[in-house]
Each structure stands twice: as C-alpha cells, then as structure tokens.
Amino acid sequence: MSFFATAQHEKERLQYFTSPEGRDDLYQYNQKERRTVLEVLEDFPSVQMPFEWLVQLVPPLKPRAFSISSSPSAHPGQVDLTVNVVSWTTPFKRKRSGLCSTWLANLDPHQSTVIPAWFQKGSLPPPSPLEPLILIGPGTGCAPFRGFIEERSIQSQSSTTAPIMFFFGCRNEENDFLYRDFWSHHSQEEGVLSEAKGGGFFVAFSRDQPQKVYVQHKMRENSARVWDLLSEGAAVYVAGSSTKMPSDVLEAFEEIVSKESGLPSESAVRWVRALERAGKYHVEAWS
C-alpha cells in the first residue's frame, strides 16, 4: 500500500506500520479493531492499487464450520444448524458483526437461497443406542446433542435405549435458553431425557442470580447420578467454547469420581484419563 500511496503522509504512516517501531500500533489499528480490507483502503484514500495486485493480496474468505444439530432419521434431506450471531464492541467502541453469521441471520426464510456447503465427518462419533450418555453442551455447544437426542428418541420407539443425562448452560433463561421446548418435551415421563428412564436434563443460567452458575456446578450437584451412569459404562460428550469450559468440566468429572468412588484425587484423575484412552470421553471445542 505504501508503494502505491500518492499522499506523502499516508505513505509515511504505512511505512511506519511495517517497521519494528510501529508493530504495536499496527496491532492496535488492525488486529484489535478487526478492520476489513475495505476499511483500511478507505482510511488511506490516496492508495491507488491495481486490481490485479489487490485480488492477489486479499485472503479468500474461510469456510465456516458448524455442527449439524439434527438427526437425518428425524429430518430426511434436511440439515439444521445452530448459529450464534456474532457481535462485539472494539476497544475504540465500534460495533462489529460476524460476517457469515450476520449474513445468515439476514436471509429471508421465504426466499430460496443457494449456499455452497461441504459435509465432513465430525469429531463426535455417533453413540450406540445401548450406551448411556452424559452430554455437556453450554450455549451453541448443544447443537450436536440435539441431533443425538432426536436420533435416540426415534430408536426408543422400536428398541431399548440407554439413558441420557444432558447438562446445558446459558446466560439467561429469558434470552438464550436455546431449544427450551425441545428439551422439555424429551424430559417428560416417556422421553429419552426423563428421570423415569434414568436420565435427566439440567440447565445452568449463569447470569440469573448474583453468583454465576455453570454446567460444572450442576454436574457436582448431581454427582451421585453422574457416577451411576459412569459406573454403567456411560460415554461422555463435551461440546462448546474452547476457553475454560472443557478444562472446568474435566476437573468436575475428576472430583465426582473421587467423591463418589472414594478414590484419592490422583487415582480419580487416572480413572478419567482411562475413559479418554478407551474412546469414551469426547470433546469438540471451538474458539
């Protein structure tokens, strides 16, 4: 850009950004503010870059990966997605929106829109209907488990199925309780999440009370039931944000195993690690 800038002050500013001394200012200007290519070009209007150069320098948009949140048995020929519409405020108080999620949110559901899509095998293997499940999926982490539960509900109509415990978390009951009616329906007496069938649905609203409550707190509150399913050979599935949640959930499992089995903490850690080695502790986390 500095090579093609005709205004001297813009040329000097761009050259400063590329110098060792300007590295921190470049980070503040660009990465922290998440400026787009168009915004940068608008900030330096004297830059007359040939189009051939521009298309070679601008990186292509990356594909977005989403977990399928439906069962093909329940919805043949249809794929459901659970997408969080991304928005945030930059350090300079500018409102920013996610590119793909905002575009999807603005689509007209009454119009047909062609969207290129690729299907890849997920990192969460489909469970056997006879395998008890402990699912932990706060926020949009619930997406794959909605499909799991739809699938098991259909399986339960023709054969015996194992129980499911599901721990879901969100900020507020009124604002982001995703699929509230769906979980409630499958938690009723004959549902695959019902306590009558050995399962259960447990939700943590982290911001509805002075003290924050997360999925790991609900797990500890129901430690005996968690241990019962683990003792029966349950598989554990964890999905959601890759920040602290997966490590906090793992620590909660280690504490539950130690408390309910009477094992010392070091042995409980090895017990949970053995679950991982046996392919019965699955994590799908994203940033």
Side-chain angles (χ1 to χ4, degrees):
M1 288 182 67
S2 68
F3 181 81
F4 292 108
T6 57
Q8 187 60 31
H9 70 283
E10 291 184 9
K11 181 184 291 288
E12 292 174 356
R13 182 67 173 168
L14 289 163
Q15 289 173 343
Y16 168 73
F17 275 151
T18 62
S19 68
E21 296 80 12
R23 186 176 304 165
D24 290 343
D25 286 338
L26 176 62
Y27 178 78
Q28 291 291 332
Y29 169 79
N30 197 39
Q31 282 88 339
K32 290 275 283 188
E33 286 293 300
R34 299 288 292 274
R35 279 183 166 83
T36 66
V37 172
L38 179 60
E39 288 171 332
V40 174
L41 290 172
E42 289 174 340
D43 285 348
F44 297 90
S46 81
V47 174
Q48 301 299 314
M49 184 181 295
F51 182 73
E52 293 80 2
W53 283 58
L54 183 64
V55 295
Q56 292 183 62
L57 293 172
V58 175
L61 291 178
K62 296 179 180 179
R64 267 56 169 185
F66 300 106
S67 297
I68 294 175
S69 54
S70 57
S71 160
S73 302
H75 306 283
Q78 175 180 315
V79 169
D80 293 357
L81 302 178
T82 304
V83 182
N84 180 41
V85 182
V86 179
S87 63
W88 73 97
T89 303
T90 72
F92 288 111
K93 307 302 180 185
R94 298 195 310 158
K95 298 291 185 181
R96 311 295 286 169
S97 299
L99 185 63
C100 181
S101 63
T102 303
W103 181 78
L104 287 172
N106 290 332
L107 290 176
D108 184 348
H110 301 292
Q111 293 184 351
S112 176
T113 303
V114 177
I115 302 174
W118 295 263
F119 293 86
Q120 296 179 336
K121 186 176 181 179
S123 59
L124 300 178
S128 160
L130 297 177
E131 186 174 43
L133 300 179
I134 301 174
L135 311 177
I136 300 95
T140 54
C142 70
F145 304 143
R146 180 174 179 264
F148 279 23
I149 291 165
E150 280 188 334
E151 184 74 12
R152 185 153 296 188
S153 177
I154 291 175
Q155 293 167 343
S156 69
Q157 295 171 14
S158 57
S159 60
T160 302
T161 56
I164 301 177
M165 290 183 75
F166 177 38
F167 294 91
F168 172 71
C170 59
R171 287 175 174 266
N172 309 107
E173 183 175 5
E174 295 301 320
N175 297 331
D176 51 4
F177 193 173
L178 302 176
Y179 304 120
R180 178 205 306 251
D181 294 340
F182 177 85
W183 313 127
S184 175
H185 170 72
H186 289 286
S187 299
Q188 294 174 7
E189 188 173 346
E190 295 302 317
V192 294
L193 286 176
S194 65
E195 294 185 16
K197 290 197 171 183
F201 174 63
F202 310 91
V203 58
F205 303 112
S206 62
R207 301 298 193 273
D208 278 353
Q209 61 284 312
Q211 187 174 0
K212 294 178 182 177
V213 177
Y214 297 115
V215 285
Q216 60 266 26
H217 298 123
K218 292 296 180 180
M219 292 169 59
R220 292 185 178 97
E221 288 177 11
N222 296 274
S223 62
R225 298 182 62 188
V226 170
W227 175 244
D228 285 344
L229 281 195
L230 287 174
S231 302
E232 294 171 12
V236 175
Y237 288 80
V238 183
S241 170
S242 62
T243 52
K244 285 189 62 183
M245 186 275 296
S247 59
D248 288 342
V249 166
L250 180 64
E251 182 180 336
F253 272 115
E254 292 167 354
E255 292 179 11
I256 288 170
V257 170
S258 178
K259 174 186 174 184
E260 300 298 334
S261 69
L263 291 171
S265 57
E266 296 83 2
S267 300
V269 169
R270 288 195 294 271
W271 197 96
V272 176
R273 294 298 183 275
L275 272 185
E276 296 175 325
R277 291 193 299 272
K280 295 180 75 69
Y281 193 105
H282 311 280
V283 180
E284 183 176 85
W286 55 84
S287 58

